[in-house]
């Protein structure tokens, strides 16, 4: 199984100049905990609900501060044709539950987001199920 078969296509993204409140309202509206952040058409980072709490609220940021002040500027990614088992290994090593999905190594266009839950929904293989369990152990 490859990433393209399970990922969420055409993700929305936040503009790097959006404020923290914009991100919070969008996450609440769509029930997301993760948003890619772009400057024009270039991916510059990602922001999670956890980032907003730990880098925002805990450090005294205001709702009207720009999202780039709390985002992770290191956007972890995979490619749409990557094997799911390799992606799970990468998620486990990076200690993350979601990755940005790019089309290929040449153009690196944002085409989706893949989450651990997306992979789990399509799991019909006992070995893959164990890989998911092993990837999730730290979240208990």
């Amino acid at each position: 199984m490859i990433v393209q078969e399970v990922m969420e296509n055409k993700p929305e993204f936040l503009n790097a100049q959006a404020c923290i409140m914009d991100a919070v309202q969008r996450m609440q509206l769509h029930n997301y905990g993760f948003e890619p952040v772009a400057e024009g058409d270039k991916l510059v980072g990602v922001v999670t609900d956890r980032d907003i709490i730990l880098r925002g609220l805990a450090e005294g940021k205001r709702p009207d501060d720009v999202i780039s002040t709390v985002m992770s500027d290191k956007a972890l990614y995979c490619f749409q044709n990557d094997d799911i088992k390799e992606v799970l290994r990468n998620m486990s090593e990076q200690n993350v539950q979601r990755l940005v999905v790019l089309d290929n190594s040449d153009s690196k266009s944002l085409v989706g987001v893949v989450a651990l839950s997306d992979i789990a929904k399509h799991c019909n293989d006992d070995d893959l199920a164990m890989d998911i369990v092993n990837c999730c152990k730290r979240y208990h």
Side-chain angles (χ1 to χ4, degrees):
M1 186 180 322
I2 62 172
V3 172
Q4 188 174 24
E5 297 174 58
V6 301
M7 71 183 195
E8 293 291 325
N9 292 306
K10 299 286 184 187
E12 294 184 23
F13 59 88
L14 288 166
N15 182 293
Q17 297 307 309
C19 69
I20 294 171
M21 183 55 78
D22 291 339
V24 169
Q25 289 172 336
R26 189 181 205 152
M27 287 178 176
Q28 183 179 29
L29 176 68
H30 297 290
N31 197 28
Y32 294 154
F34 173 94
E35 289 277 344
V37 178
E39 203 166 78
D41 63 350
K42 181 183 176 204
L43 184 68
V44 294
V46 296
V47 66
T48 66
D49 46 6
R50 188 170 194 267
D51 292 332
I52 292 169
I53 297 299
L54 298 180
R55 292 190 190 124
L57 187 60
E59 293 181 9
K61 302 287 184 191
R62 296 185 328 261
D64 58 343
D65 286 340
V66 293
I67 199 65
S68 58
T69 63
V70 297
M71 73 179 193
S72 299
D73 57 4
K74 181 181 175 189
L76 301 175
Y77 63 89
C78 62
F79 297 108
Q80 64 185 352
N81 290 322
D82 286 351
D83 182 76
I84 291 296
K85 287 186 177 255
E86 181 62 25
V87 170
L88 283 169
R89 185 192 59 71
N90 186 12
M91 286 177 165
S92 184
E93 286 176 3
Q94 299 297 327
N95 197 25
V96 297
Q97 297 179 47
R98 302 170 198 93
L99 292 173
V100 171
V101 181
L102 306 177
D103 61 349
N104 59 58
S105 59
D106 294 326
S107 65
K108 293 188 177 179
S109 294
L110 176 65
V111 294
V113 171
V114 66
L116 202 49
S117 60
D118 298 324
I119 298 169
K121 281 187 251 181
H122 292 85
C123 183
N124 57 4
D125 171 321
D126 289 340
D127 289 335
L128 186 58
M130 272 319 290
D131 289 339
I132 293 169
V133 168
N134 289 332
C135 191
C136 292
K137 283 185 179 176
R138 75 182 113 295
Y139 302 114
H140 290 186

